[in-house]
Every structure is written in structure tokens, then in C-alpha cells.
Amino acid sequence: MRVSLNTALAEPAIVPRLSARNLSRLPPGVARPQFAPSALSTGIVHLGCGAFHRAHQALATQHAIGADGDRRWGIAAIAMSSPDVVTALRAQDNLYTTLLHDGGRTRAEVVGTITEAVHAPTDPVGVARRIADPRVRVVTLTVTTDGYCVSPVTGRLDAGCDRVVADLRRRARPGTAIGMLVAGLAEVRRRGGIPPAVISCDNMTANGRQLRSAVMDFAALHDDRLAAWIGRNVRFPCSVVDRIVQPGSATDAAVARNWLGGIDDRAPVSAESFLTWTIEDFDGERPRWEAAGARFVGDVTDHEKAKLRLLNGTHLLLAYLGASAGHATIAQAAADPALAALARQFMLCEQAPTLALSGAELHRTVDDLLRRFRNPAIRHDMTRVGRNGSDKLRPRVVAAMSDNIAVRRPTPAAILTIAAWIRWFEAPCADGAVMRPDDPRAEELAGLAAEADPHRRAELFLRRADIFGAIPDRDRVARAVGDAVTELSRDSVTDVVRRRLLPEFEGSAG
């Protein structure tokens, strides 16, 4: 067989990259912006350009713009550390694909609301100047709990935190979200401008109030008058966000390329189709997010508590116990009959009595959550869900447990969740482990976990007021946690869980 020289030396085909020029080439089944992305001006600065923001707030903003045509709401998306997503977005005109998975079906939508992708450490403009731009009316944040530099004991800014100390030394180029906000608001004040509303989208109790307190505390460290001005003039509405999003992967890139008809996307995001966003109403200009499904309410407290305790608390239960059982993802754990039954019992019998939900709404929410947890298309790995547990356990599990203990209501699932979390620090890197240590207190907690006696070990952990607060009847709780640690060390997770199921949940698959 003879092969021509031209064939032998042919260059590999060049795969086209997602870009504004290629939007018109997308297959008809792919949703796309109902506006020209280049026509948007920047009216929002977002701190934390991760997968969640791009699958939630940025997509919701696209639908808001599409509903009313108001093109003032482009987003300057700020990556706080890694430049990878910024590099990928800039190479494709800041466009990317969201892949929404539900019941075995996938929908694809190209998002065009990001006007600028910014790497904060190397940004020549500076995040503070971007926040102070008179066109910017809203600043949003998804920087995780750790990004607020708040002490878990006092609930106020940790002024001794290394990152805060560093920011105070380099006020012109702060590295924390709090420092960036203060520097930007200081510039607004200097110019006599109108400050933007600042909306936390992180999973924290009273996130807007915690953010306001941290910003004012930081400002007061070098200018009491600035802190007072912020207190009088800047709105920090609380908000509650809900959508399960997974990090980008090679699989997502392949799925996106297939949907886009062979066009390459280096920054796709995968999420479930479910989305909610509840925001405390505030005065001032903003996108019409309600057209995208957001709700504006007078007080988000009940919504926040329900979401933290039902969804996020149950996520931790499935992560720590599921990892102990060898499950690699939340979907696998939620498909385990024993764990699913315990998750339902936990939500209905331990978390729900502490919430203001009607019976019908409660059962509908629990059914929906278990269905969402089982979604096999969302690979929510255990380390990602379980990380920073020393910060997450208190608002998501321990607070409701303490409420229940105060009225003598049993808390077997919460006790078991805490025990499974403690065991994570005993041998977190054992061969075959599906959850790796990722916690700001990992080193010191590993020291506590070295205590040989399980009851003494539980007591040492529960003494940590910075993690557990003031638990009623702590000695009795420590004994129960110690018993659970012993059982988890000796028996299968399934057997340990089955012993704690109430009769009406036995034999249930959740």
C-alpha cells in the first residue's frame, strides 16, 4: 500500500475553541445568551470565580438580563488564588458551558455574563479599584467560610490571622476578600460615591451580618471613621444559595465538546438542574434575579436554617459515614439503603423539629433532597463535601443537636456523624481511603485522635468550644460519641447504622 507524502505529513485537525465568533455555530439544542456578551458593561464584581459561582450566580444573571435586556450587569469575576480558570476563560472570550444534569438528562447552556476574568494577585488594575468603579452596584462573594477570616469562637474578625496581618501591612494590594472589600469601599468613600451592595453567597449562618461585622472590624483596625461610614452606608443582605455543583473534569470537557458540535470548552461546569437563591430585599439597583428564580424576602433566617441543617447537615452525615463505608461519592452513599434510611430519619426526626416548616413542605423537601443526593451525574466526592468540618459541624449538625438535647429529644444520627468525623483523623491516609484530611485544624485534631481510649478521645474533641460551642449535657454526649467511635472501629458501618434506626425506618431505602 502506498501512502502519499501529503497524507503522511498531514497536520492534526485543529479543534475550534469556544468564542464569541463561534456562538452562531452552536447546535440548536444548546442554549446561549439572548444578548451580545460584548455589549455588556460591568456592574457586578464577584470574589471567587469558582465552579459554584459560574453555575449559579453568573447563570442566574444571564437569565435576568435575558428577561429584561438590561445590559449593565456584566460580571468581573475575580479568582483569588489559582490563575487556571482565568487563563481558560480569557482564551475563549470569557464564555463557558454549564451542563445541567437531572434524571439521566443533560442540558447545555453557554454563559456570557462574565465581562472580565481577573486573577487577583497579578491584576494590574487592582480589585479595590474595580469595586470602586461607579458602574459597579453589586459585589457578590463565594470564597468559602475560611475566606472571611472570622474567629469561630467570637464570630468577629480574627485580627491575629496571618492573612489579616499581612493585609494590614500591604493595604494597597490586599490578598483577602475582606481586605479587598475594605480597600474598595474606602476608595468609594474618598470619591464621595455610592457604595455597592455586598452579598455573601457562602454557606454561613447570617452570612451578610458576619460579612458586615468582619469588614467593619477590618476597617476599624486602621480607620474608625471608615468603619462608621461603612456601617451607615453599605448594605450587606444575607442570602441562601442552593445548587449542587461539581468541579470541572476531563469528562465534563468531553461532554461539552459533544454538545457544542466539536467546539472545545476548557472551562465547563457541571451541576444539578435544581437552583434556588433567597436574598434579603435591599434598596438599590440590581439585576432582576427574580426572573431567574431568585426570591427576595424580608428575613432569610428560616430559609437559611432549613438549608444548612437539612441539605448541608445531611451532606456531612453522608460524607463521613459514607467514606467510612468505602463510598467515594455522595451519590453512592445516598444509594446505600442503610445510609439513606438514616439520612431520612436524621432530617425528619432530628433536624426538622428545630425548623419552621409545615409537614407537607418538610416531606417534599426531604424527598427532593434524597433524590438530588442520588443523582449519579454529580460526582460530589467525599473530601470536597467533608473538608473544613471543624467549621461546618457546628451550624449544620451540632446546633440542632444542642436544641434537641435541651428538650431531651434523641440525637443518634448526629452523634454518629460526629463519631465518624472524629475517626477521620485517626488514619486519614490509610490505603484505600476515599476521604483525605482537609481541615484548618487537621494537625491539632490528629493529635487528639492519637488518644487510644475512644471515650477519652471523644471527650477531648467535644471540649473544643471553638468547634462545638457549649453542648448541653456534654459528658453524656461524650460517652455516646465514644460508644459510637468504638462501634465504628469494630463493626461495619451498615451494622452500626441499623442499630440506630427507628422501627419506622428499618428496612427503608430512604
Side-chain angles (χ1 to χ4, degrees):
M1 176 179 177
R2 300 181 64 184
V3 179
S4 73
L5 184 61
N6 288 340
T7 302
L9 299 180
E11 291 290 332
I14 297 175
V15 178
R17 189 80 171 265
L18 181 62
S19 66
R21 185 178 64 243
N22 286 333
L23 276 178
S24 62
R25 294 176 51 190
L26 297 180
V30 178
R32 65 205 75 190
Q34 299 302 302
F35 50 84
S38 61
L40 298 182
S41 61
T42 300
I44 300 171
V45 169
H46 181 83
L47 304 182
C49 183
F52 185 85
H53 165 66
R54 290 184 290 124
H56 192 282
Q57 296 91 16
L59 181 59
T61 301
Q62 172 148 302
H63 293 173
I65 297 170
D68 65 8
D70 190 341
R71 298 180 180 180
R72 295 176 297 159
W73 302 115
I75 302 169
I78 314 294
M80 306 296 286
S81 54
S82 171
D84 293 350
V85 70
V86 169
T87 300
L89 287 171
R90 286 177 177 173
Q92 50 198 47
D93 298 329
N94 298 318
L95 300 171
Y96 64 92
T97 310
T98 55
L99 301 167
L100 303 181
H101 307 281
D102 182 26
R105 298 185 302 273
T106 299
R107 290 184 291 114
E109 178 168 356
V110 171
V111 181
T113 47
I114 294 179
T115 49
E116 297 175 276
V118 179
H119 180 231
T122 58
D123 179 25
V125 175
V127 176
R129 286 177 58 191
R130 294 181 184 280
I131 292 171
D133 186 324
R135 298 173 301 170
V136 170
R137 309 307 318 131
V138 178
V139 177
T140 52
L141 296 87
T142 51
V143 295
T144 76
T145 303
D146 186 55
Y148 290 73
C149 304
V150 169
S151 165
V153 177
T154 65
R156 304 295 295 268
L157 182 78
D158 182 359
C161 169
D162 291 344
R163 290 170 294 157
V164 172
V165 172
D167 272 7
L168 290 171
R169 291 184 183 140
R170 57 177 186 202
R171 283 182 284 177
R173 297 287 295 190
T176 68
I178 303 302
M180 292 173 186
L181 283 170
V182 170
L185 293 172
E187 180 64 14
V188 173
R189 175 175 174 252
R190 187 188 68 79
R191 296 178 181 177
I194 299 172
V198 184
I199 306 174
S200 170
C201 301
D202 283 297
N203 284 318
M204 304 190 307
T205 303
N207 55 15
R209 288 186 284 280
Q210 285 204 60
L211 177 58
R212 179 180 186 271
S213 174
V215 167
M216 290 181 64
D217 286 348
F218 187 102
L221 290 173
H222 58 81
D223 189 342
D224 285 335
R225 291 173 298 178
L226 173 60
W229 179 86
I230 291 172
R232 290 192 306 269
N233 294 283
V234 184
R235 296 144 297 166
F236 294 88
C238 295
S239 82
V240 182
V241 295
D242 191 358
R243 166 164 272 180
I244 298 174
V245 179
Q246 67 181 22
S249 68
T251 299
D252 291 335
V255 172
R257 188 180 305 115
N258 184 58
W259 271 93
L260 301 181
I263 293 174
D264 193 30
D265 180 357
R266 305 288 175 85
V269 288
S270 269
E272 63 176 341
S273 60
F274 182 92
L275 179 150
T276 63
W277 190 5
T278 307
I279 310 167
E280 281 183 349
D281 208 356
F282 62 93
D283 294 331
E285 296 175 289
R286 58 168 177 80
R288 195 156 72 87
W289 282 315
E290 55 268 48
R295 292 179 294 178
F296 286 85
V297 300
D299 186 350
V300 303
T301 301
D302 288 343
H303 302 275
E304 168 191 272
K305 187 183 291 187
K307 194 260 180 172
L308 284 171
R309 296 187 179 185
L310 293 176
L311 187 151
N312 298 120
T314 309
H315 246 170
L316 293 184
L317 179 151
L318 291 170
Y320 298 130
L321 287 167
S324 298
H327 298 304
T329 67
I330 292 295
Q332 291 175 9
D336 181 314
L339 290 175
L342 185 69
R344 182 179 290 276
Q345 177 179 306
F346 177 60
M347 288 189 276
L348 291 176
C349 301
E350 297 184 35
Q351 304 293 72
T354 70
L355 303 173
L357 291 177
S358 69
E361 183 181 7
L362 170 64
H363 283 84
R364 183 174 62 251
T365 299
V366 170
D367 288 343
D368 285 345
L369 284 173
L370 287 169
R371 177 184 56 79
R372 292 168 61 195
F373 291 153
R374 292 191 186 107
N375 188 341
I378 302 299
R379 184 178 173 80
H380 231 170
D381 71 85
M382 299 312 203
T383 296
R384 184 164 181 258
V385 176
R387 67 186 177 187
N388 303 333
S390 62
D391 288 330
K392 293 175 177 177
L393 275 170
R394 190 168 172 185
R396 303 179 186 195
V397 175
V398 176
M401 184 182 76
S402 296
D403 291 346
N404 286 323
I405 291 170
V407 296
R408 300 184 180 278
R409 190 180 293 121
T411 61
I415 295 289
L416 197 54
T417 300
I418 293 169
W421 175 71
I422 290 174
R423 289 204 67 236
W424 183 33
F425 295 98
E426 294 176 22
C429 292
D431 290 343
V434 295
M435 182 183 285
R436 302 293 178 179
D438 188 353
D439 193 287
R441 301 173 179 83
E443 187 174 344
E444 54 194 288
L445 293 177
L448 300 184
E451 166 60 47
D453 180 78
H455 288 87
R456 173 64 176 160
R457 194 183 317 148
E459 182 182 348
L460 291 173
F461 270 85
L462 289 167
R463 281 182 182 176
R464 292 291 300 259
D466 57 329
I467 299 173
F468 292 98
I471 298 176
D473 203 359
R474 189 183 67 190
D475 291 343
R476 184 182 66 80
V477 173
R479 287 194 297 273
V481 172
D483 289 344
V485 170
T486 301
E487 290 182 62
L488 287 170
S489 302
R490 183 188 66 211
D491 303 328
S492 73
V493 172
T494 298
D495 288 344
V496 176
V497 167
R498 292 287 185 199
R499 290 179 200 129
R500 286 160 174 79
L501 291 177
L502 296 171
E504 59 267 37
F505 295 96
E506 291 177 355
S508 164

